[in-house]
């Protein structure tokens, strides 16, 4: 992982930010005149002139690659120990290289004039980041989190990709326990904080949804006095988050009548969702996006703006994600018509309700992750998608639910059965309870339980029929993209002889 050019610190400033020691023959005075081109944590992508930070990972230790980093032209190395043999440049010795990466990013961020938008929540973070970045890019030079760059490594690397020319940075903030979002806020110093929704994700780690709300609320509580909290008016936990905002400004989004940024006239289709975006307080006539409607504009009633949006994403939950992005756009000063155009051109993140034709099947690939909330959102999409078609559901374990896991899986199984699937394949040990819940509503022969993705992939080609709608969804650990790949191979048109 490598950052973009535009790094703002000298090696001496890096040493001070990380409280590093500098072994001879190098001195702090010598480091004052050395400015790296960027920061890298991966020698495979390291470019000459960059600073290499040697991180310890679950499978590899970056310290083993320090000689390679110097061989590739690294300007210096941040490490917890000296390399074996002579170093090819300055080594900044620190106690913890992961913390050092965060300190470097925090010091770099302080040099930037960009506004930082932090996004957290139990579900919808990555999609909301993508939509928010699309809205911001319509007016500003924008940097956004890459997929899965959302924790103690990804957030610093996202900030380090920003340059003095960057105007907006959109950062996804995930957590595995209390205090982790607060640490990310300390590094990123966001001026705008978005919370998508609060749900059961990470229940195993935090014990209750109330504790999850408090942990996600660390983003709101960490905003500066002039910061803005962007909160979901439809989420029952948002009043608790609003209390954490104190005197900070709040912009509400959602379907609720009182939300400043809301949607009406929502219409679901196989290729996306159309709705009217209402923004309170815009006292002028606002053009409708030309690719959505031939109308030249809509009258602004009572100082509100109304624009039509053709969102190329499926499901009511993605309308809310789009409203969150629109609310950030309003905070940043983006025109509502530009917001509508940006949302209309957004692309869905990989393996998140991606709909594709696979031969004669309609495949809904939502294999990236799963929670009870996101399962329900996927069921809503399938309910609206291609009505009348036979449905096959492949549903994997939902991880990190703790003692509540059996009951939550059983409930999701009941809700899945309400879709009337021809076949439901439950995948994984925890999904046994999901299968049990489904069997209370469906004949037992239509509900199968298998151990893993390989077993599901072996069964599925014989279970599906031409014209079926197939939903594949489970937690990341289940690797259900293997099922998707098997279906693609099985249903791909044969090559001409």
């Amino acid at each position: 992982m490598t950052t973009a050019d535009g790094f703002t610190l000298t090696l001496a400033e890096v040493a001070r930010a990380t409280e590093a020691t500098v072994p001879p023959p190098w001195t702090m005075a010598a480091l004052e005149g050395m400015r790296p081109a960027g920061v890298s944590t991966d020698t495979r992508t390291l470019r000459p002139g960059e600073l290499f930070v040697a991180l310890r990972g679950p499978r590899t230790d970056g310290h083993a690659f320090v000689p390679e980093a110097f061989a590739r032209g690294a300007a210096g190395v941040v490490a917890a120990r000296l390399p074996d043999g002579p170093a090819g440049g300055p080594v900044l010795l620190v106690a913890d290289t992961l913390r050092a990466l965060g300190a470097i990013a925090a010091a770099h961020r302080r040099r930037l004039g960009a506004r930082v938008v932090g996004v957290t929540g139990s579900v919808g973070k990555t999609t909301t980041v993508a939509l928010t970045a699309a809205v911001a890019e319509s007016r500003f030079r924008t940097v956004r989190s890459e997929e899965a760059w959302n924790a103690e490594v990804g957030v610093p690397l996202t900030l380090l990709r920003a340059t003095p020319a960057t105007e907006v940075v959109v950062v996804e903030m995930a957590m595995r326990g209390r205090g982790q979002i607060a640490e990310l806020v300390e590094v990123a110093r966001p001026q705008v904080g978005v919370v998508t929704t609060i749900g059961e994700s990470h229940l195993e780690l935090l014990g209750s949804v109330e504790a999850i709300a408090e942990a996600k609320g660390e983003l709101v509580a960490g905003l500066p006095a002039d910061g803005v909290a962007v909160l979901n008016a439809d989420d029952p936990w948002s009043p608790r988050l609003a209390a954490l905002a104190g005197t900070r400004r709040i912009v509400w989004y959602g379907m609720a009548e009182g939300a400043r940024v809301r949607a009406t006239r929502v219409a679901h289709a196989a290729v996306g969702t159309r709705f009217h975006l209402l923004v309170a307080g815009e006292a002028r006539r606002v053009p409708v996006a030309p690719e959505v409607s031939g109308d030249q504009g809509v009258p602004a009633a009572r100082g509100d703006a109304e624009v039509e949006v053709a969102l190329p994403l499926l499901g009511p939950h993605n309308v809310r994600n789009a409203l969150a992005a629109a609310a950030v756009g309003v905070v940043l000063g983006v025109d509502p018509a530009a917001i509508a155009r940006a949302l209309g051109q957004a692309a869905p993140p990989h393996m998140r309700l991606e709909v594709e034709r696979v031969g004669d099947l309609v495949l809904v690939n939502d294999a990236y992750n799963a929670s009870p909330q996101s399962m329900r959102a996927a069921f809503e999409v399938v309910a609206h998608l291609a009505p009348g078609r036979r449905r096959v559901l492949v549903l994997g374990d939902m991880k990190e639910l703790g003692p509540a896991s059996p009951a939550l899986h059983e409930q999701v199984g009941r809700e899945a059965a309400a879709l009337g699937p021809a076949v439901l394949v439950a995948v994984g040990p925890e999904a046994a309870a999901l299968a049990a819940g489904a069997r209370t509503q469906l004949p037992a022969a239509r509900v199968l339980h298998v151990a893993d993705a390989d077993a599901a992939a072996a069964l599925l080609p014989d279970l599906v029929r031409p014209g079926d709608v197939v939903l594949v969804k489970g937690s990341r650990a289940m690797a259900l993209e293997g099922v998707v790949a098997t279906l693609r191979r099985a249903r791909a048109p044969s090559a001409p002889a």
Side-chain angles (χ1 to χ4, degrees):
M1 297 177 184
T2 299
T3 66
D5 292 333
F7 188 54
T8 59
L9 307 175
T10 66
L11 282 182
E13 289 168 330
V14 169
R16 286 192 285 270
T18 58
E19 300 181 349
T21 58
V22 183
W26 297 94
T27 65
M28 288 291 284
L31 301 187
E32 292 286 0
M34 301 176 66
R35 185 182 302 277
V39 176
S40 176
T41 59
D42 189 336
T43 53
R44 293 170 297 182
T45 57
L46 183 143
R47 298 172 300 179
E50 291 185 326
L51 176 66
F52 177 65
V53 180
L55 298 179
R56 293 189 179 95
R59 290 180 294 274
T60 59
D61 185 344
H63 290 82
F65 300 95
V66 167
E68 181 181 345
F70 281 124
R72 287 178 174 267
V77 165
V78 176
R81 63 175 186 269
L82 287 171
D84 296 330
V91 177
L92 280 58
L93 286 178
V94 299
D96 184 328
T97 54
L98 180 58
R99 287 193 174 275
L101 179 66
I104 295 166
H108 175 69
R109 190 265 178 271
R110 286 193 290 271
R111 297 281 178 87
L112 300 175
R115 286 176 286 183
V116 176
V117 179
V119 179
T120 194
S122 295
V123 294
K125 294 185 293 297
T126 302
T127 301
T128 300
V129 164
L131 294 172
T132 301
V135 168
E137 285 165 359
S138 69
R139 180 172 171 183
F140 304 105
R141 291 182 291 272
T142 302
V143 168
R144 55 157 287 190
S145 294
E146 301 296 329
E147 288 196 31
W149 281 26
N150 58 13
E152 59 269 34
V153 175
V155 169
L157 288 175
T158 299
L159 293 166
L160 288 165
R161 287 177 56 224
T163 74
T166 302
E167 295 173 291
V168 174
V169 182
V170 185
V171 181
E172 181 176 340
M173 294 182 168
M175 60 95 185
R176 291 183 297 276
R178 285 184 192 273
Q180 290 185 331
I181 288 178
E183 291 177 2
L184 299 178
V185 168
E186 191 88 8
V187 172
R189 297 171 62 221
Q191 293 104 326
V192 182
V194 182
V195 183
T196 58
T197 187
I198 303 299
E200 298 94 345
S201 300
H202 306 301
L203 200 56
E204 181 177 33
L205 296 165
L206 290 166
S208 70
V209 178
E210 181 178 12
I212 292 169
E214 291 175 357
K216 298 294 185 183
E218 291 169 9
L219 171 57
V220 176
L223 293 171
D226 59 351
V228 182
V230 175
L231 301 180
N232 183 351
D234 304 325
D235 191 295
W237 290 96
S238 286
R240 183 179 293 256
L241 299 175
L244 295 173
T247 59
R248 300 172 184 89
R249 180 182 165 208
I250 298 174
V251 174
W252 295 95
Y253 71 90
M255 306 296 186
E257 188 73 27
R260 172 152 188 223
V261 179
R262 63 190 184 94
T264 63
R265 299 165 65 181
V266 179
H268 301 281
V271 294
T273 311
R274 287 178 178 265
F275 63 92
H276 280 232
L277 171 66
L278 302 182
V279 180
E282 298 288 340
R284 54 193 169 83
R285 187 179 181 85
V286 178
V288 174
E291 68 270 29
V292 177
S293 169
D295 190 2
Q296 295 303 302
V298 291
R302 301 177 60 82
D304 294 351
E306 181 174 351
V307 291
E308 192 177 357
V309 177
L311 184 70
L313 305 180
L314 300 171
H317 65 296
N318 274 325
V319 174
R320 289 189 175 87
N321 292 337
L323 291 175
V328 174
V330 170
V331 172
L332 297 177
V334 181
D335 184 86
I339 291 173
R341 285 193 294 271
L343 293 175
Q345 296 164 3
H350 183 49
M351 295 196 300
R352 290 170 175 85
L353 287 174
E354 286 185 296
V355 179
E356 60 181 296
R357 293 275 180 174
V358 178
D360 47 23
L361 303 178
V362 177
L363 176 61
V364 183
N365 178 3
D366 200 15
Y368 186 79
N369 217 336
S371 68
Q373 276 181 301
S374 66
M375 283 283 194
R376 294 176 189 118
F379 299 161
E380 283 188 281
V381 167
V382 171
H384 287 107
L385 187 65
R389 287 178 181 252
R390 187 173 178 269
R391 295 164 179 163
V392 175
L393 308 181
V394 183
L395 307 177
D397 286 354
M398 301 176 289
K399 299 297 187 182
E400 298 183 357
L401 296 178
S405 179
L408 290 171
H409 277 85
E410 183 176 357
Q411 178 60 35
V412 165
R414 291 173 183 268
E415 294 171 13
L419 289 172
V423 182
L424 188 156
V425 181
V427 186
E430 294 177 76
L434 191 153
R439 289 187 184 113
T440 65
Q441 313 291 320
L442 294 173
R446 287 164 57 185
V447 181
L448 307 176
H449 177 241
V450 296
D452 54 30
D454 289 342
L459 283 177
L460 214 57
D462 295 328
L463 295 177
V464 297
R465 297 179 186 173
D468 281 357
V469 175
V470 183
L471 169 66
V472 180
K473 183 167 180 64
S475 280
R476 185 84 295 278
M478 300 307 296
L480 290 184
E481 60 269 24
V483 174
V484 172
T486 296
L487 283 173
R488 287 181 182 139
R489 287 193 298 269
R491 295 285 164 161
S494 299

